Amino acid sequence: MRRVMASAPAEEAPLPVGEPRSERPKLRTEFAFELPRGYVDDEGKVHHSGVMRLATARDELIPLRDDRVRENAAFLTVVLLARVVTRIGDITDVHAGIIENLFASDLAFLQDMYRRVNSEGHTRAGVACPECGHSFVVDVAGGRLGES
């Protein structure tokens, strides 16, 4: 019996110090989104669009010292999202109270988006048409139908 061994990938030669990689795309740190339902403020105005930034290690560590999170681990999501969501509609002071008052579907949307941009590095999701079963990819970060 003959075994075929896969060859190890060739290592790239290190770049000289100070020389950037030209093929590496620019790092994207902010992601626009459209909430499925929208945040309703105290005056009844509905805010749909927003921006989430990439999380830092500090963003994930600081909430662990928060008393609300210590008392209820489920509150971690609220505190963490309040740190990385930088805008919802006209609101730029996004805090835990705003995240707490999102509709459950909007909170789930932001949780999924957080996971996608911080773990997978993108906001695309594979979906399938419920009628014909055709599979395709959509960008869940927002934009309206017909926009690029």
Side-chain angles (χ1 to χ4, degrees):
M1 183 165 112
R2 183 175 169 210
R3 287 190 170 171
V4 178
M5 304 223 12
S7 61
E11 289 188 30
E12 291 183 25
L15 291 172
V17 175
E19 196 171 315
R21 291 183 185 262
S22 60
E23 70 276 359
R24 182 174 279 181
K26 184 178 178 187
L27 178 63
R28 185 174 172 197
T29 61
E30 292 191 326
F31 299 84
F33 61 81
E34 292 285 325
L35 293 173
R37 299 218 188 278
Y39 171 72
V40 181
D41 66 20
D42 293 337
E43 295 158 6
K45 182 177 179 185
V46 182
H47 304 269
H48 291 281
S49 63
V51 175
M52 178 185 291
R53 66 172 173 77
L54 282 178
T56 63
R58 183 179 195 89
D59 291 323
E60 294 200 348
L61 293 171
I62 286 180
L64 298 176
R65 296 191 313 228
D66 190 302
D67 289 337
R68 298 168 294 185
V69 174
R70 287 183 181 171
E71 291 175 19
N72 181 356
F75 206 73
L76 175 63
T77 298
V78 171
V79 176
L80 185 55
L81 287 174
R83 292 185 61 83
V84 298
V85 173
T86 59
R87 181 180 62 79
I88 297 178
D90 301 333
I91 302 165
T92 56
D93 180 23
V94 179
H95 51 79
I98 289 174
I99 302 298
E100 279 182 300
N101 286 306
L102 289 172
F103 292 109
S105 58
D106 290 332
L107 180 65
F109 171 84
L110 290 176
Q111 286 175 304
D112 184 55
M113 184 174 170
Y114 178 91
R115 182 186 56 77
R116 287 181 187 282
V117 301
N118 288 288
S119 298
E120 300 171 14
H122 63 80
T123 56
R124 296 178 306 278
V127 296
C129 174
E131 295 198 17
C132 71
H134 176 73
S135 296
F136 55 98
V137 176
V138 296
D139 189 340
V140 297
R144 302 202 186 268
L145 291 175
E147 290 183 356
S148 55

